[in-house]
Each structure stands twice: as C-alpha cells, then as structure tokens.
Amino acid sequence: MASQLKNKVMLIGGPLTGELESGVTNTKVPLGLAYIAAVLEKLGAEVKILDCLADYDIIKPVGDNKFRVGTSEKEIAKQVKDFMPDVVGITCSYSMYEQDSFDVVNLVKSIVPKALTIFGGAHASAAADRVLKNKNVDIVVSKEAEYTIREIVDVYSKTKNKTKLQDIEGTIVLDKKGKIKKNPERRMIFSLDELPMPARHLLRMDRYLYHPLNNVGVGDGPATDMITSRGCPQKCSFCSIFTVWNRVWRTRSAKLVVDEMEELVKRYKVKHIRIQDDNFSLDKKRVHDMCDEILRRKLKFKWDTPNGIAIWTLDELLLKKMAKAGYQRASFGIETGCKKTMDQYIHKPIDYAHCKKIIKACKKLGIFTVSTFIIGFPDETKKDIQETIDFANNSGLDFALFYVAQPYAGTPLYE
C-alpha cells in the first residue's frame, strides 16, 4: 500500500472494572496496540496510544464491591480533546470487560462525534453482533488487526465517508438496513518478519517496566513482555485465542526475535523478558537458534514463558540450551490430571510420565516450574477432580494454579 495516511489515530486500551481492591496486579505491555501503531506510523499516520491500565495505581470504588482501575474518565476526556483524533481504535480482549470498553467509546463519541470508531480484540472477534448493538461503534475488526486497520484508515483518510468502509476484508459492519454484515476474512500475515517492531516509543514504558508486582518470582530489575509467534494449533475447548489467530501457528525468525530482545536490553535496560506466546516451542529448531543467537551476542537477561510452554515439545537437550541462554521459569498448561477430561475437553498430547520427566529435568537445571490446572468441566466428578489434584501434588512442580472452567464466547465449551 503506497499511499501515505494523513489521519490522526488514537488507540485506546480502556480501564477495567473488577472485584480486586488492589487493582490490576500484572500490567502487560499492550503489544497489540503497539504493533498496529507501528504499521500506521510507517505509512505516515500520526498515532497516539492511551493505555489506561498504565495508571494501575488509580483505583476508584464504583459500587457493589466493584473497583475501576486505570486512567480517570476526566483524564481520558482531556487526552481525546487535546489530540482530536479522526479515528479511534478501542480494544476489548475479554467479554467480562465489554461495558468498560463501551464506556470509553461512548465518551469518545460525546467529544468527537464525527470520529470513526473501530472495535477490535478477542471479544469483538467472538461477539461482533453484541458489540455492534452499541450505536457508537462504527466498525468491528475481526481477528488479526494490523493490515485491516491500515486499510480502514487509508480509505477513510481519502474519503471521510464511513459508507465506503462497508466491504473491507476482516471487518464486520451494519449494512444500510441495519443488518450484521460479516465481510470475508483477511488473509493472515504468514511472514511475521514483515511487521515492524511494536511502537514502544508511544508507550509510557516506565509504568510497565517498574510495575511493583511485575518482577515477583523472576528476580530484580525491569521486566517487560514480547511475542515471537502467533496462534496455536491445539483444540482446547475452553480457549478463545483461536477466535483471533485461527488455529494456525506463525513465527518470527530467531534473528529478529533476538534483535528485539537486544533493543529491550540496551534501550530500556530490561533484565527480564516475558515471552507471551500461545505456543512458543512448537518448532524446536527455532528455539535452539534463538538461544544460540542470545549466547553469540552475549546478551545478559533472564526470560520465561508465563503464558505457557507446550510440555510435550520439550526435551532435556533443549532445556539445557534454554537455561544456558537465561531461561528461568517454565509455565506449563497441563490443565488436568484426569485422562477422561483430557480427551474430552483439553485435547493436548499430554503424556503424564513425560511431564514428570520434564519437570524433573527443569529442577536439575534450576528452572522454576509452574502449571495451570482447570476443574469444573461439565460431567466432571469429584473423583476426576481429585485425580487432577493428586497429579499436581505428586508431579514435582514448584507451584500449581487452579482455575474453574469458564465458557468464553466463541469457544466449543461456550457452545
């Protein structure tokens, strides 16, 4: 796309309302917004990111034992008025926070009623019909957003006409009769290396690097997030991430991954990197190459995979290389110790003997081990749940986290 975008674009991650009086305990860098911003900047748009959760220490009671965490409504309004955007993109990753995102779009429209409002994120992809019931939402972006939003902004920049946006791939809109119109999906970005690095210069990085709880369990020093791949081919019934990435796994090359790591270490003085991939280690050679590149450049930092690493992809040789390159903490998604539940709802190629072998190897290498477990699937009995508890207790794990099965919109479990 050769044309230069002239619009002013504001990308907003809104405040969240929940039951934690202490607020958000782990604020992640909004990499999705930062990637979109980088693509738009590359084509000439003036971009501003407002991530309200960077103000994690602003906590306001809102009744019924609920607390609103993030930038105040007054400050959001001020920043919108100061910037006066032509286009506003709002992300909503979780269905439970839909109203928070609606509050933001409603506020934006009250200030700049002519602005084009775009809704994106996992919830928008899974429940566009719900989102478009809010008349302040002009268009929904489904699944991968970078190139779809680039085209939306490009067309709108040329025409200033929202009716010209009816047929863009990867969008869901209301047609002239007020009916939901789902346009064809946009082709996924198979070569992630073609994307620029996320626009961290538009973020208040100090707020993420020095979050008071960001370094718990990982040592001292600034910590931050990055991603090296997108998607996951697994078919877990409870997981909604496929509503954004489908079930296709795509990667960035080992060299570009380590280029970004080097920038984080040298520019932001980062000492710990959290790789937030949904399936980091599916290609073992790529992980070996990445570790070799870290060692070749003599980069000194620790890293972990808090979003989970596929335990069936690991072996002791790979773990040794990872540990040598700074890998500190392995988070597994074993999910259940009950084979019946695994076969019916989890669908991961888990071998419990292999799990124990890998956990033992991690201990030997000084890698801290954690796993998530889920209980309360339909038809699970007390005996089934006890099998999961027993496995967690007898596996050798350093730490286990238990969740209750939640039916997120768009997932097989929800259906």
Side-chain angles (χ1 to χ4, degrees):
M1 190 175 293
S3 62
Q4 291 290 299
L5 308 182
K6 300 302 181 186
N7 288 90
K8 294 171 74 173
V9 182
M10 188 174 217
L11 303 173
I12 304 177
L16 300 182
T17 301
E19 297 176 353
L20 282 179
E21 187 173 0
S22 59
V24 178
T25 56
N26 182 18
T27 298
K28 296 177 183 176
V29 175
L31 290 170
L33 297 182
Y35 270 109
I36 293 166
V39 168
L40 294 176
E41 274 197 327
K42 196 174 179 182
L43 288 172
E46 183 182 350
V47 186
K48 180 180 179 64
I49 297 177
L50 173 56
D51 180 32
C52 296
L53 290 183
D55 289 318
Y56 45 77
D57 46 2
I58 298 177
I59 304 168
K60 178 184 175 183
V62 289
D64 297 326
N65 294 316
K66 298 282 186 180
F67 299 87
R68 180 184 179 279
V69 181
T71 309
S72 69
E73 186 176 283
K74 182 179 178 181
E75 179 60 24
I76 295 171
K78 179 182 182 301
Q79 293 209 32
V80 173
K81 287 176 185 175
D82 289 346
F83 191 63
M84 292 303 289
D86 303 295
V87 179
V88 179
I90 296 163
T91 184
C92 182
S93 296
Y94 300 100
S95 299
M96 65 187 293
Y97 299 125
E98 178 188 74
Q99 188 56 51
D100 291 304
S101 300
F102 282 168
D103 290 343
V104 172
V105 76
N106 295 340
L107 177 62
V108 167
K109 280 290 194 182
S110 72
I111 299 167
V112 278
K114 293 185 179 179
L116 176 71
T117 50
I118 306 170
F119 234 72
H123 174 63
S125 293
D129 53 338
R130 286 176 53 92
V131 171
L132 286 168
K133 286 179 182 177
N134 185 320
K135 300 306 179 186
N136 286 324
V137 177
D138 292 318
I139 188 167
V140 168
V141 169
S142 177
K143 302 186 182 291
E144 199 165 45
E146 285 91 353
Y147 291 171
T148 302
I149 290 181
R150 182 178 70 175
E151 184 175 348
I152 292 170
V153 176
D154 183 51
V155 171
Y156 190 66
S157 175
K158 292 171 182 174
T159 65
K160 295 294 182 184
N161 188 341
K162 295 175 186 177
T163 64
K164 300 293 185 182
L165 306 174
Q166 288 286 307
D167 302 316
I168 293 176
E169 288 183 351
T171 65
I172 304 170
V173 298
L174 292 179
D175 65 18
K176 293 176 182 177
K177 296 180 180 179
K179 302 290 186 181
I180 296 283
K181 181 189 179 195
K182 187 172 183 179
N183 287 307
E185 285 187 13
R186 183 172 294 270
R187 184 178 182 274
M188 288 184 296
I189 304 168
F190 282 96
S191 175
L192 297 184
D193 283 0
E194 68 189 54
L195 290 172
M197 282 192 196
R200 290 184 174 89
H201 60 279
L202 297 179
L203 299 171
R204 292 184 288 162
M205 284 298 292
D206 61 308
R207 298 292 293 171
Y208 311 101
L209 295 171
Y210 297 101
H211 186 290
L213 295 178
N214 263 2
N215 300 318
V216 170
V218 297
D220 297 327
T224 195
D225 309 288
M226 65 179 287
I227 55 174
T228 80
S229 67
R230 292 181 177 182
C232 177
Q234 299 308 130
K235 297 181 179 179
C236 304
S237 67
F238 57 87
C239 182
S240 65
I241 197 62
F242 78 93
T243 63
V244 177
W245 307 126
N246 292 331
R247 299 198 191 277
V248 179
W249 188 69
R250 297 154 293 146
T251 69
R252 295 167 64 208
S253 65
K255 179 188 178 302
L256 288 186
V257 167
V258 182
D259 284 349
E260 185 172 343
M261 290 173 166
E262 186 167 15
E263 180 181 84
L264 290 172
V265 170
K266 292 185 175 178
R267 180 174 178 179
Y268 296 104
K269 311 303 178 189
V270 165
K271 293 185 179 179
H272 190 98
I273 295 173
R274 295 180 294 262
I275 295 178
Q276 299 285 2
D277 295 22
D278 293 299
N279 203 321
F280 169 72
S281 56
L282 203 57
D283 179 353
K284 287 201 280 191
K285 182 182 183 305
R286 189 184 76 112
V287 182
H288 274 289
D289 291 345
M290 189 191 86
C291 293
D292 287 338
E293 192 70 12
I294 292 170
L295 295 167
R296 186 186 69 79
R297 300 189 198 189
K298 298 179 180 177
L299 297 176
K300 301 296 182 185
F301 65 93
K302 298 294 184 183
W303 57 284
D304 71 332
T305 47
N307 212 25
I309 189 166
I311 196 166
W312 61 91
T313 66
L314 302 177
D315 57 51
E316 192 162 355
L317 182 64
L318 180 59
L319 285 168
K320 282 180 181 178
K321 180 78 69 67
M322 291 166 67
K324 191 175 180 182
Y327 190 61
Q328 186 181 39
R329 180 183 174 113
S331 298
F332 306 121
I334 299 171
E335 316 301 12
T336 182
C338 173
K339 189 175 186 309
K340 182 182 80 175
T341 302
M342 181 67 72
D343 293 344
Q344 190 171 1
Y345 292 106
I346 313 295
H347 310 304
K348 291 182 180 181
I350 293 287
D351 177 302
Y352 293 115
H354 177 75
C355 289
K356 290 182 178 180
K357 180 180 177 183
I358 292 301
I359 292 165
K360 185 177 180 180
C362 285
K363 277 188 174 297
K364 182 178 169 184
L365 294 164
I367 299 169
F368 190 86
T369 57
V370 183
S371 183
T372 54
F373 295 95
I374 304 173
I375 61 175
F377 286 102
D379 307 318
E380 266 202 320
T381 66
K382 285 185 178 180
K383 178 177 178 293
D384 298 333
I385 291 170
Q386 190 62 49
E387 284 184 32
T388 294
I389 295 169
D390 291 344
F391 176 81
N393 280 332
N394 299 322
S395 62
L397 287 164
D398 293 308
F399 201 83
L401 291 160
F402 288 84
Y403 297 94
V404 174
Q406 297 290 331
Y408 293 115
T411 64
L413 186 61
Y414 182 90
E415 298 305 322

